[in-house]
Amino acid sequence: MRFAWIPPICRGCSDMKTSSSRSSWSSRWAFILVTIGSSVGLGNIWKFPYMTGSHGGSAFVLVYLLCVLLISWPLMMAEILIGRRGRGNPVSAMRSTARECGASSLWVLVGWAGALGALLILSFYGVVAGWIVDYLFKAFSGVRIETVQDAKQSFDALMNDPRQLILWQTLFMVFTVSVVARGVVSGIELANKIMMPGLFIILLCLVFWGALAGDMSAAAHFLFDIRFEAITPKVVLAAVGHAFFSLSIGMGAIMTYGSYLGKESNIATTSVWVAVSDTLIGLLAGLAIFSLTFRHGLAPAEGPGLILQTLPLAFSHMPGGGLFAALFFLLVSFAAWTSAISLLEPFVAWLVENRGVRRSLAAWGTGLAVWLLGMCVCLSFNVWSDFSLFGHTLFDALDGVTSRLLMPLSGIAIGVYVGWVMERKSVEDEMRLGSGAFSAWFAMLRYLAPVGIAFVFIHALNG
Ligand code: TRP
């Protein structure tokens, strides 16, 4: 099904009018798959392992798991609920649900923060995904990284070569835009149906190989030994932030995907699949990556270079390493691609639904703007390396504004909105939960999520 073009006369008129012509996923499973596609990304395979490595291993994992269970998952349900109830992109979903319960129209700002924040994330996400594509090509062309110096040199060479960085970022953005341009079912859903099974299969092969060729028990100790004393405020901060990022919370992506979900699907059981899969995939990737890292006596606390420097080094010293390196970077590329699609979709959906722009034009136009910002990020690593925004590099500024500012603020706003502002009756109607489960979820949304996030947020500002 394609989006119907909305005649100009309808522009800006009631958002609800467009709802009858909106696309929807072909089934509940399709929604689960695309939402897993959104949440499983560089966050799971690039960021989670290195953050775990640099924040004391199991202490970080434990706090992260609690944050997912108590904060991110309840908020994910709330986001799906708003999207489905409002039947629109984040801006119109917020507007129509606010209208329904007589709340201030200022709530629409949450929708705007989401749709625009997602584009800011995409601008640097596309650059990191570009590094991955570069390593994918290197792996396929048989480049071997034999020594620590090789690993460092090859990463530095990439970062200092603006043309390469821009080339890979461009390629990645073209791939992302071309999926979104094709529409909800024949673009986004189809791409996920192809890539996600591929991703699961490759991951299982890697874990299996990690168990055979790596040091799985050291990896398991590192990730799962309980060490309460290692839990510091810094670890908690990092874990909460990552629990948001990894489940794609607060930036309109889940809201938009939820708006294409049929009324008959149960939000709670549907979202469990997503939260559990995202977490499991992060942990499995962590096991595979650390079992190889430890097998070669390499340091886990490498920071962002973990999968780009340490891991290729580990691969090159193993039988079949070339093949598995190629598979690994293919896995990360798939994961990044399906996430990037979800970062582009909210704003594109707004252009299509509220401004009557043709989908392909909306996708390519938005993609172009994001690509330009991403190009500035590429240049900020080398040609413009003196450039700084309040003492931060452009990359850190974009990452900081989105994950430390916009995501927590939106998280608080969504918890307060569904917990306190929307009519309880409509929330109950959407959720269709037993009374005990509903009360537990509602309490997490009303109290735990806003207070917990606010606490962390204030700490982060002070730190
Ligand atoms: N969750 C993705 C990851 O782990 C990134 C992502 C996709 C995202 N869509 C998002 C993050 C929306 C925040 C909001 O890589």
Side-chain angles (χ1 to χ4, degrees), residues 82-103:
I82 299 174
R84 188 170 75 171
R85 183 105 192 151
R87 274 266 162 260
N89 59 78
V91 176
S92 46
M94 288 305 294
R95 186 177 296 140
S96 58
T97 50
R99 204 175 285 157
E100 185 191 24
C101 60

Side-chain angles (χ1 to χ4, degrees), residues 38-39 41-44 121 125 245-246 248 251 253 339 342-343 407:
S38 165
S39 56
L42 293 173
N44 301 62
I121 298 182
Y125 201 85
F245 188 85
S246 188
S248 307
M251 295 282 94
S339 297
S342 78
L343 287 165
M407 272 192 229

Side-chain angles (χ1 to χ4, degrees), residues 35-47 79 114 117-118 121 125 242 244-254 278 335-336 338-344 346 407:
T35 314
I36 297 177
S38 165
S39 56
V40 174
L42 293 173
N44 301 62
I45 304 166
W46 169 65
K47 212 169 172 187
E79 257 201 58
I121 298 182
Y125 201 85
H242 191 63
F244 266 70
F245 188 85
S246 188
L247 286 188
S248 307
I249 303 297
M251 295 282 94
I254 301 293
D278 183 73
T338 50
S339 297
I341 291 169
S342 78
L343 287 165
L344 187 59
M407 272 192 229

Side-chain angles (χ1 to χ4, degrees), residues 433-452:
L433 279 174
S435 65
F438 182 83
S439 307
W441 169 72
F442 210 50
M444 289 195 240
L445 215 58
R446 297 186 102 178
Y447 306 105
L448 196 66
V451 175

Side-chain angles (χ1 to χ4, degrees), residues 123-141:
S123 69
F124 67 87
Y125 201 85
V127 175
V128 179
W131 305 345
I132 303 292
V133 180
D134 176 73
Y135 275 74
L136 174 66
F137 272 77
K138 280 191 186 131
F140 268 108
S141 47

Side-chain angles (χ1 to χ4, degrees), residues 300-378:
E302 259 312 306
L306 182 66
I307 71 162
L308 294 170
Q309 297 184 37
T310 313
L311 207 56
L313 193 59
F315 278 130
S316 73
H317 290 278
M318 322 207 58
L323 171 69
F324 281 98
L327 280 178
F328 176 77
F329 286 110
L330 189 64
L331 162 90
V332 192
S333 306
F334 281 176
W337 191 1
T338 50
S339 297
I341 291 169
S342 78
L343 287 165
L344 187 59
E345 175 63 14
F347 191 78
V348 170
W350 176 78
L351 282 175
V352 172
E353 293 170 2
N354 294 33
R355 286 282 164 263
V357 181
R358 222 169 0 108
R359 176 166 271 270
S360 56
L361 183 65
W364 287 103
T366 313
L368 182 69
V370 172
W371 174 76
L372 283 173
L373 186 56
M375 204 157 68
C376 298
V377 175
C378 292

